[in-house]
Amino acid sequence: MATLNTKRIEESATLALKGALLRCPTLSTYISENDKTPSWDGQVFVYASAEQKKTDGILAIPIQVKGTISKSSAKSTSYSCEISDLKIWMNNGGCMLFLVSLDFENQSHQIYYSALQVYDLKKELETAKHHKSRNIKLQKFPEDDPREMTSIISSFAQDRVKQASFANKELPCFEDFKKRGVKVKNLLFSTPGIGITPYNIGKYVASHDIYLYAKLEGLDIEIPIDKIKNMTMYCPVSKPVCVGGQKYYDSYFIENEKDDSLIKIGKEISIKFFEAENRLTLQFKPRGPRLYPLQSTTGQSDCR
């Protein structure tokens, strides 16, 4: 009976994940129920277009799918993974772990995921030391948002290509380059490109984990050196700021946060947009003594 229950859990978890990814036109899944392959259950293929042509270029990522019986609705959870699995995933360039929380009584489920790149797996193994297992943190998979699901998978595939070759190499930090006298030519990061524009890239990096890569002078490779959460990006906008047809500034800056945006005009004016509330506040900081309170207002915005 226990075997039948386990089989049902595994098949239900796999079907739930397949159903979610079927909503993403550029993704194709190959996952086996009751798969006996060590350490992973299948692959997700990322295509350049919804036509899924081989000529468009394909990126593939290995995935591991686990199922559990629970009525979970939390934003995050954890799962105990064997150290041997973490090592196998690292040596094979990373793996995406999915945990599907199943509620058979109400015929519902919740999918969680952890994007385990080589960088992440090295950090987990360093922390684990002599332990035989490690609790891996997972967060909710946005199965109601095909674009976001595609973005998560695509980002993982892109970063996996960059990090796979470092599986058996020591990852330096920025301070190591300084100590060795190595000159860093550029610091780089990438985004999936799906729906990303110069106007919303700041919001993307503020709400997603971003891997930072160093490009050294004389070397044509990108070395992963850090993982940044809640990155803040300042975007200069080369457009004039006018009032009543008169130009006061040649440009302005946009500072992006996870949910809101801040426009800075010169050194004195800041406009913050609270998008969820459809509200904005205006702050004016005069250069001389201030004789009146800071003002705030609400209204619509068509800022682009």
Side-chain angles (χ1 to χ4, degrees):
M1 189 67 178
T3 303
L4 292 176
N5 288 337
T6 300
K7 180 175 180 292
R8 185 184 179 195
I9 292 171
E10 290 179 356
E11 290 181 349
S12 298
T14 299
L15 288 172
L17 180 60
K18 282 183 175 180
L21 296 181
L22 276 173
R23 301 171 191 163
C24 307
T26 59
L27 302 182
S28 180
T29 59
Y30 292 85
I31 311 172
S32 300
E33 291 87 359
N34 301 306
D35 188 74
K36 301 303 179 183
T37 305
S39 300
W40 53 80
D41 297 311
Q43 292 179 305
V44 177
F45 292 88
V46 183
Y47 290 84
S49 70
E51 296 179 357
Q52 298 192 3
K53 293 181 179 180
K54 293 181 180 179
T55 54
D56 287 340
I58 308 172
L59 294 177
I61 64 168
I63 62 172
Q64 174 75 67
V65 186
K66 297 292 185 181
T68 181
I69 298 178
S70 172
K71 296 182 180 180
S72 176
S73 60
K75 292 183 178 180
S76 62
T77 186
S78 62
Y79 186 80
S80 179
C81 293
E82 295 181 5
I83 295 299
S84 57
D85 282 330
L86 298 183
K87 289 180 178 179
I88 291 174
W89 294 343
M90 184 187 69
N91 291 331
N92 284 273
C95 179
M96 185 164 277
L97 173 65
F98 289 95
L99 176 66
V100 184
S101 177
L102 301 160
D103 181 358
F104 287 125
E105 182 180 345
N106 296 308
Q107 297 184 350
S108 63
H109 68 268
Q110 177 62 58
I111 303 175
Y112 297 90
Y113 80 99
S114 183
L116 296 169
Q117 298 284 3
V118 165
Y119 180 92
D120 305 301
L121 292 164
K122 281 184 175 291
K123 296 296 182 182
E124 293 290 350
L125 290 169
E126 287 174 5
T127 306
K129 297 182 180 180
H130 301 296
H131 294 283
K132 294 184 178 180
S133 63
R134 177 77 176 157
N135 280 334
I136 300 298
K137 295 181 180 179
L138 303 96
Q139 56 186 315
K140 265 188 178 181
F141 192 55
E143 55 184 305
D144 58 341
D145 188 344
R147 173 173 286 186
E148 181 64 10
M149 285 191 289
T150 303
S151 176
I152 290 169
I153 300 289
S154 299
S155 292
F156 184 87
Q158 291 175 9
D159 282 302
R160 182 172 181 265
V161 170
K162 295 181 179 182
Q163 298 187 26
S165 62
F166 292 92
N168 297 311
K169 300 176 184 177
E170 182 181 352
L171 294 181
C173 64
F174 194 73
E175 292 299 322
D176 292 332
F177 297 132
K178 288 185 177 180
K179 292 177 182 178
R180 299 172 187 173
V182 178
K183 188 173 181 180
V184 177
K185 185 177 180 181
N186 291 309
L187 291 175
L188 310 167
F189 68 89
S190 61
T191 62
I194 302 170
I196 302 297
T197 69
Y199 302 106
N200 64 15
I201 186 173
K203 284 191 174 298
Y204 178 87
V205 301
S207 57
H208 294 76
D209 292 345
I210 300 296
Y211 295 93
L212 191 65
Y213 298 87
K215 195 167 186 178
L216 306 184
E217 199 169 67
L219 292 177
D220 193 25
I221 58 172
E222 296 178 17
I223 303 172
I225 60 169
D226 203 355
K227 183 178 181 179
I228 303 175
K229 296 179 181 291
N230 304 319
M231 179 190 289
T232 299
M233 176 179 285
Y234 296 88
C235 301
V237 180
S238 300
K239 291 185 178 180
V241 178
C242 305
V243 178
Q246 182 175 348
K247 184 175 74 172
Y248 288 87
Y249 297 91
D250 293 319
S251 61
Y252 58 92
F253 284 83
I254 298 179
E255 177 183 331
N256 293 108
E257 300 174 355
K258 184 176 181 179
D259 298 313
D260 308 308
S261 299
L262 182 68
I263 293 180
K264 293 187 175 181
I265 305 172
K267 296 181 179 180
E268 298 85 24
I269 303 172
S270 296
I271 303 172
K272 186 165 186 177
F273 290 90
F274 300 88
E275 296 188 11
E277 305 170 24
N278 195 29
R279 178 174 64 89
L280 63 84
T281 62
L282 170 65
Q283 289 189 327
F284 178 68
K285 299 178 181 179
R287 295 179 182 177
R290 179 165 55 87
L291 303 177
Y292 48 86
L294 298 180
Q295 299 178 6
S296 68
T297 184
T298 62
Q300 301 281 341
S301 168
D302 61 352
C303 181
R304 303 185 179 187

